[in-house]
Amino acid sequence: KQEVTQIPAALSVPEGENLVLNCSFTDSAIYNLQWFRQDPGKGLTSLLLIQSSQREQTSGRLNASLDKSSGRSTLYIAASQPGDSATYLCAVDDYKLSFGAGTTVTVRA
Amino acid sequence: GAVVSQHPSRVICKSGTSVKIECRSLDFQATTMFWYRQFPKQSLMLMATSNEGSKATYEQGVEKDKFLINHASLTLSTLTVTSAHPEDSSFYICSARQWGATEAFFGQGTRLTVV
């Protein structure tokens, strides 16, 4: 069974600082890995999807890397803003998605 | 991206009643649907996987008689919470996937409150 771990569980940074969120998984036989954002009481917003054959994906200030062999992915958010405050979920896709517990980010103005 | 519509977004029901949640794929054929549950401050846990026209496969610890899943067409799946109790209060979210597709798409979620 796929186990997904996210570290740290929570993060508080001043505005402008770069964020580094980590995700690890136990089974490398995956189709892709996806990062989501979830605001309190809301659904999921897909941020980035990295296919198993890719090493990284970028969208604006967001960059996600994938190292399948070591079972790791990292989400980088550059120049954080208060609007980036949310919970970030990593999901590993081996046809059904397995989610990590999330990293709750607070960006202080 | 493809669109998955989930309704209702919020529902409040009395203890002992049943509640049905719908999940529709609007612009693709969802050969597989997934249902997740999220308790407050916890992550999403897969409840069951259903393939169109087949019985759902439930994850360990999920009561199949309590959480009835129907996936009778390629665009619609329903989750019925039967004889709901306050401990069933949670955020339920569906995901739909077309066979061979690289990505699954999520509905907006349903906040269920049982009083």
Side-chain angles (χ1 to χ4, degrees):
Chain A
K1 182 183 174 184
Q2 184 75 262
E3 301 287 341
V4 183
T5 304
Q6 289 188 248
I7 294 173
L11 194 55
S12 179
V13 300
E15 183 176 3
E17 198 163 295
N18 297 333
L19 293 165
V20 181
L21 283 59
N22 297 296
C23 172
S24 62
F25 50 96
T26 54
D27 188 344
S28 61
I30 64 172
Y31 291 124
N32 58 54
L33 184 143
Q34 203 163 355
W35 284 92
F36 293 89
R37 169 184 172 138
Q38 187 175 31
D39 293 290
K42 303 293 185 182
L44 303 177
T45 300
S46 178
L47 298 174
L48 290 168
L49 182 148
I50 313 174
Q51 296 190 23
S52 62
S53 59
Q54 298 175 320
R55 300 281 294 187
E56 67 176 334
Q57 275 287 351
T58 299
S59 176
R61 294 184 294 113
L62 276 60
N63 174 277
S65 65
L66 173 64
D67 184 343
K68 258 186 27 172
S69 61
S70 66
R72 295 178 188 277
S73 177
T74 302
L75 177 67
Y76 301 90
I77 302 177
S80 62
Q81 303 168 359
D84 294 329
S85 298
T87 296
Y88 292 83
L89 296 168
C90 163
V92 176
D93 186 352
D94 53 13
Y95 202 71
K96 48 186 180 181
L97 275 76
S98 299
F99 285 83
T103 295
T104 299
V105 171
T106 303
V107 180
R108 308 185 303 271
Chain B
V3 178
V4 176
S5 178
Q6 184 175 342
H7 291 282
S9 58
R10 290 180 178 273
V11 59
I12 300 173
C13 71
K14 291 185 177 180
S15 187
T17 62
S18 295
V19 173
K20 181 183 285 188
I21 302 169
E22 289 190 351
C23 180
R24 293 180 185 273
S25 58
L26 299 186
D27 50 6
F28 66 101
Q29 293 184 328
T31 42
T32 307
M33 293 264 197
F34 306 89
W35 287 93
Y36 295 84
R37 176 172 56 185
Q38 184 180 37
F39 291 110
K41 300 193 182 300
Q42 295 187 27
S43 191
L44 280 77
M45 299 301 295
L46 180 65
M47 298 175 65
T49 303
S50 72
N51 293 306
E52 184 264 338
S54 302
K55 287 185 177 180
T57 301
Y58 291 80
E59 295 297 304
Q60 191 172 6
V62 178
E63 300 175 59
K64 62 179 68 176
D65 294 331
K66 183 169 187 59
F67 299 99
L68 301 180
I69 292 172
N70 182 283
H71 188 180
S73 80
L74 285 170
T75 58
L76 174 65
S77 177
T78 60
L79 168 67
T80 301
V81 183
T82 62
S83 186
H85 289 98
E87 57 265 32
D88 298 323
S89 297
S90 187
F91 185 68
Y92 294 86
I93 191 165
C94 69
S95 174
R97 180 170 222 147
Q98 186 170 25
W99 178 254
T102 57
E103 186 175 356
F105 297 93
F106 285 81
Q108 305 94 319
T110 298
R111 176 78 53 194
L112 170 64
T113 303
V114 184
V115 298

